Amino acid sequence: CDGATGIKSVTMFRPPAYLGAECGVKRMLKLVVILSLAAIAAQGQDASRPIINTTGGQIQGVTSSCGLFCSYFAFNGIPYAQPPVGDLRFRNPRPHQGWQGIKDGSEHRETCPSGGFLGGVSGSEDCLYLNVYTQNVIGSRPVMVWIHGGSFTGGSGNSWIYGPDNLMPEDVVVVTINYRLGILGFFSTDDTHAAGNWGMKDCVMALQWVRNNIANFGGDANNVTIFGESAGGVAVHYLVLSNKASGLFHKAIAQSGTALVPWGFQYRPRELAYQLADKLGYSHDSAQLVQSLRNTPIERLLEVQGGWLDIDIPRGFKPFEFVPNAEPVNSPEETFLTQLPIDILNAGTFNHVPFIAGYMSMESMFMVYEHTIDNTVWDEFTRHPEYFVPHFWNIPHGTAASSAVSQTIRQTYWQDRPLGPDIMQQWMTFHTDQQFIYAIDKTVRLHAQRSQAPTYYYQFSFDGDLNLVKRLLLLGSWPGAMHADDIPYLWSVTDLTISPILPTNHARTVSNRFVRLFTNFARFGNPTPNAVDTLLQSRQWQPVGATVHYMEIGHDLVTGINPNGQRTSVWHDLEARYANDPFRFPRP
């Protein structure tokens, strides 16, 4: 390499063939860098603000820091679809028509409309934007597309919560997206006038944009992983189930949610459409109703959209109002989903891609506060023992089967003691299983049985200084990791004021492990591809097969079999003995 560096190389300890290969690689890398810098200079570009060509036009990024000696390019607010306003409200997304000149990608754009914390409206209907983060626009790296959570009614993909700092050092390209929420994203008349699933179709269009453009950002369009948490995890699983998304991604990670969770599938959209019409004084005729809703100010729509306190007891056991649904097969627009999730899973007609699913050890810890805001909960459950019976098991109330299921669940969790504060720990565990674990466990088993690709299963149980949700809600005295506690282990949450987490803090080690497992999976389809990896404690995460293997993500990584098996076996046994067409719902 003498001519390339101007310094004589010491060769006595290296074989000549090795030296020649290394010198060739060095020269090639240097040539790539020189040509890249020359191209930037020729275009008069600032190297810290690269300009990238997309199918819609040019976007100029900005350099951001991800720590000491770590930086990346951020391309924020890239439109991937036309604003779904006017006549495009309650219609499938249309590709963006492009723009003239160079679009500034230094700032995020509007988020999709949701109710503000203190009332009012946050966001704008012109919200279908995505963000791309990459350390190098040259090359071909694994792509990870994040779908945010928020009960399908709130949130965005912006870096205030989902900053990519933790992921960037693993040399992946990260994309975060916005999609329509609430009424605007999931209203349906259950007929040809408004089929629904607009938000899910937005996700598909965003993935189409990734396929067509990500190579210009240093990403590999043939190695795309979708991942998301809570409603985002449910959305990821719906994409796995939908043939409309086939070929747009190659791996999937569903955190704390799948299409089988009791709150994630709306099986009576027409009834909800009529309720919405009554609230607004509109006709029940679908064509008239949809046209009236297109002309209704967004503030009025969000005003009548229900919130958490508007959900009837038992909360979290039945579908949220505006979530994905099965569309009519005769819809005039292309459909996203026309079958029940359980039917797709049982038939094995989903996208067979490597799949990770898992949950937090105490997902429903937030239910502690339900009793603070509604002191009728204990009494209502006592008066209505059928509330303990999953509605998706289709067991008639007042039957011997209903009584047997209710009695078994109460006995299993708190030995059928009177409901009250004394059983709060057991109450949270029951809600965790009813709202999350049983459905996720069922999903994992069905995937392992039907899919030709590997399925991986995990439980996140670590409780440390990055469990920010738990600490912000002042729930630190309760054991376990709660819903959304995993977010700060993957993402840099800049919207929350926290004390700095030192590199020596074990929470940072757990974060690094969590990120490494997911980025390994994105790169190789296997979260532990190397037999020796000191960060991952040289653990091997086995896929689920006849044996339900899983990875416990706690203080240490621990492999095991059948997580929470004693509890989940109760649910699976009751389902087998008493359920009628479980996870199937009557269509009107």
Side-chain angles (χ1 to χ4, degrees):
C1 299
D2 302 357
T5 63
I7 301 172
K8 283 190 176 291
S9 300
V10 178
T11 62
M12 65 177 63
F13 299 113
R14 300 184 184 182
Y18 179 91
L19 176 63
E22 182 183 40
C23 290
V25 170
K26 286 183 177 179
R27 291 191 186 101
M28 182 61 69
L29 289 175
K30 180 165 288 189
L31 179 61
V32 168
V33 172
I34 290 172
L35 290 175
S36 301
L37 292 174
I40 291 173
Q43 298 179 31
Q45 288 189 34
D46 177 352
S48 68
R49 298 212 60 196
I51 298 172
I52 300 297
N53 293 320
T54 76
T55 50
Q58 292 185 309
I59 183 78
Q60 184 169 31
V62 62
T63 298
S64 298
S65 173
C66 47
L68 190 62
F69 307 119
C70 180
S71 64
Y72 61 92
F73 298 122
F75 299 86
N76 297 308
I78 306 175
Y80 67 85
Q82 294 181 38
V85 299
D87 193 53
L88 294 184
R89 185 188 278 182
F90 308 128
R91 292 195 192 278
N92 287 8
R94 308 291 198 267
H96 197 272
Q97 295 176 319
W99 60 90
Q100 298 297 316
I102 300 172
K103 185 177 286 293
D104 181 13
S106 62
E107 300 290 340
H108 294 298
R109 307 292 175 175
E110 288 281 5
T111 61
C112 291
S114 61
F117 183 72
L118 298 177
V121 176
S122 170
S124 163
E125 285 189 81
D126 180 5
C127 64
L128 298 184
Y129 297 94
L130 54 79
N131 312 297
V132 179
Y133 309 109
T134 179
Q135 285 200 305
N136 198 328
V137 297
I138 299 170
S140 186
R141 295 164 186 77
V143 180
M144 300 185 73
V145 180
W146 175 256
I147 302 175
H148 70 81
S151 305
F152 290 107
T153 59
S156 79
N158 292 348
S159 62
W160 307 314
I161 294 179
Y162 305 115
D165 298 23
N166 297 339
L167 293 158
M168 286 294 95
E170 294 292 324
D171 200 29
V172 295
V173 176
V174 174
V175 181
T176 64
I177 69 173
N178 295 344
Y179 57 94
R180 280 174 281 181
L181 305 167
I183 291 175
L184 296 173
F186 298 95
F187 170 78
S188 171
T189 55
D190 200 26
D191 56 27
T192 58
H193 297 285
N197 288 333
W198 322 112
M200 293 308 310
K201 295 167 184 175
D202 294 341
C203 295
V204 171
M205 181 150 286
L207 288 171
Q208 291 170 342
W209 184 96
V210 168
R211 178 190 60 194
N212 296 332
N213 292 279
I214 205 64
N216 292 342
F217 297 84
D220 183 356
N222 295 312
N223 189 6
V224 175
T225 298
I226 54 175
F227 66 135
E229 182 268 345
S230 190
V234 175
V236 162
H237 194 219
Y238 275 115
L239 289 164
V240 172
L241 298 182
S242 173
N243 58 19
K244 184 176 174 63
S246 296
L248 296 176
F249 62 92
H250 311 92
K251 307 172 189 74
I253 304 172
Q255 302 166 230
S256 299
T258 71
L260 295 187
V261 293
W263 44 268
F265 177 80
Q266 183 52 258
Y267 58 92
R268 50 189 187 95
R270 183 172 300 176
E271 180 182 333
L272 288 180
Y274 291 162
Q275 291 176 8
L276 182 62
D278 293 341
K279 290 179 182 178
L280 294 167
Y282 293 161
S283 169
H284 281 201
D285 177 80
S286 290
Q288 294 182 35
L289 173 58
V290 172
Q291 191 56 49
S292 296
L293 290 173
R294 286 197 177 113
N295 296 327
T296 301
I298 183 59
E299 294 81 5
R300 180 63 177 139
L301 288 182
L302 292 184
E303 181 182 328
V304 298
Q305 180 177 292
W308 176 255
L309 293 180
D310 300 309
I311 300 174
D312 294 332
I313 299 172
R315 296 183 179 94
F317 291 6
K318 292 187 176 181
F320 296 148
E321 284 185 320
F322 298 103
V323 297
N325 66 284
E327 301 164 58
V329 295
N330 61 339
S331 173
E333 295 189 294
E334 190 174 5
T335 56
F336 172 78
L337 190 83
T338 59
Q339 295 177 272
L340 297 176
I342 191 65
D343 290 341
I344 298 172
L345 285 167
N346 282 331
T349 53
F350 50 87
N351 294 300
H352 289 206
V353 296
F355 182 57
I356 291 178
Y359 50 76
M360 312 302 286
S361 61
M362 192 58 76
E363 291 274 6
S364 298
M365 193 181 296
F366 53 82
M367 296 303 291
V368 166
Y369 285 118
E370 182 186 24
H371 305 277
T372 302
I373 59 180
D374 184 353
N375 60 13
T376 70
V377 173
W378 299 124
D379 291 340
E380 286 298 304
F381 268 88
T382 300
R383 281 197 294 266
H384 297 279
E386 70 273 10
Y387 285 172
F388 295 100
V389 182
H391 73 282
F392 47 84
W393 282 359
N394 302 306
I395 301 175
H397 295 170
T399 61
S402 177
S403 297
V405 170
S406 177
Q407 174 68 30
T408 301
I409 289 175
R410 301 194 314 267
Q411 184 66 35
T412 297
Y413 286 91
W414 52 85
Q415 295 72 55
D416 205 14
R417 289 176 287 164
L419 301 182
D422 290 345
I423 67 156
M424 185 63 78
Q425 176 74 38
Q426 295 83 2
W427 183 256
M428 291 188 299
T429 302
F430 159 65
H431 275 266
T432 292
D433 292 352
Q434 164 76 299
Q435 295 177 13
F436 297 95
I437 290 183
Y438 161 58
I440 294 171
D441 192 83
K442 176 84 171 182
T443 301
V444 166
R445 293 168 187 267
L446 286 173
H447 266 265
Q449 292 167 13
R450 305 288 194 272
S451 181
Q452 297 175 6
T455 299
Y456 296 91
Y457 195 10
Y458 75 88
Q459 175 175 249
F460 189 108
S461 59
F462 182 71
D463 183 6
D465 289 338
L466 283 173
N467 292 57
L468 300 185
V469 176
K470 179 178 181 178
R471 278 150 179 74
L472 286 171
L473 293 179
L474 305 179
L475 295 173
S477 62
W478 296 100
M482 71 173 289
H483 193 65
D485 264 348
D486 51 343
I487 294 299
Y489 288 86
L490 277 181
W491 300 96
S492 173
V493 186
T494 58
D495 206 28
L496 298 178
T497 302
I498 60 172
S499 300
I501 304 296
L502 298 176
T504 55
N505 191 307
H506 193 68
R508 182 57 60 199
T509 300
V510 174
S511 171
N512 293 338
R513 288 174 182 161
F514 199 35
V515 168
R516 176 70 58 80
L517 289 168
F518 279 13
T519 54
N520 273 349
F521 180 74
R523 179 168 280 106
F524 303 109
N526 181 347
T528 55
N530 301 315
V532 178
D533 184 328
T534 55
L535 175 61
L536 301 182
Q537 301 174 287
S538 298
R539 299 286 189 266
Q540 292 295 296
W541 187 350
Q542 298 295 325
V544 178
T547 301
V548 182
H549 295 283
Y550 81 103
M551 179 69 80
E552 183 80 26
I553 304 172
H555 183 278
D556 295 297
L557 296 178
V558 179
T559 57
I561 295 172
N562 199 15
N564 302 296
Q566 288 187 327
R567 289 168 16 213
T568 56
S569 65
V570 171
W571 293 86
H572 291 306
D573 178 64
L574 290 173
E575 176 194 326
R577 293 170 61 190
Y578 297 108
N580 301 306
D581 290 329
F583 297 95
R584 303 193 78 254
F585 312 97
R587 297 296 301 275

